[in-house]
Amino acid sequence: MEVTLENSQYTRYLSEFAELNENLGRFEYTFTTPLREETSLKFLLGATGEVLGAHDVVIDNVELK
C-alpha cells in the first residue's frame, strides 16, 4: 500500500510504501508541508506486485499532526 500526502497540484509531501501482511503493523512517517497548505492523505490500494486474491485491509487509528 502506498501512503501519500499531496496538495491539489499533486505536489507530494509524503510518498511511502507500507508492506502489508497478515500481521497487524504500526507505521509512522514524518513530513513537512508549507503553512496553510490544503493537502489530501491517500492510501493507494491498487495492485503493485503479486495478485493476492480476495482480502481485507483495515486502516485504523490514523493520526495526522
Side-chain angles (χ1 to χ4, degrees):
M1 172 179 72
E2 185 176 7
V3 181
T4 67
L5 184 74
E6 59 192 29
N7 66 14
S8 60
Q9 286 78 38
Y10 302 105
T11 300
R12 287 191 176 182
Y13 300 105
L14 175 72
S15 181
E16 296 286 343
F17 284 90
E19 291 296 324
L20 305 180
N21 57 43
E22 63 276 355
N23 300 313
L24 296 178
R26 179 168 192 239
F27 302 93
E28 185 173 323
Y29 306 108
T30 301
F31 60 90
T32 303
T33 62
L35 291 176
R36 297 193 174 117
E37 179 79 62
E38 290 188 29
T39 57
S40 298
L41 177 64
K42 300 177 182 180
F43 300 94
L44 308 178
L45 299 170
T48 59
E50 179 183 340
V51 177
L52 300 175
H55 59 278
D56 295 321
V57 175
V58 177
I59 300 171
D60 193 12
N61 295 324
V62 175
E63 194 173 324
L64 189 61
K65 299 183 192 183

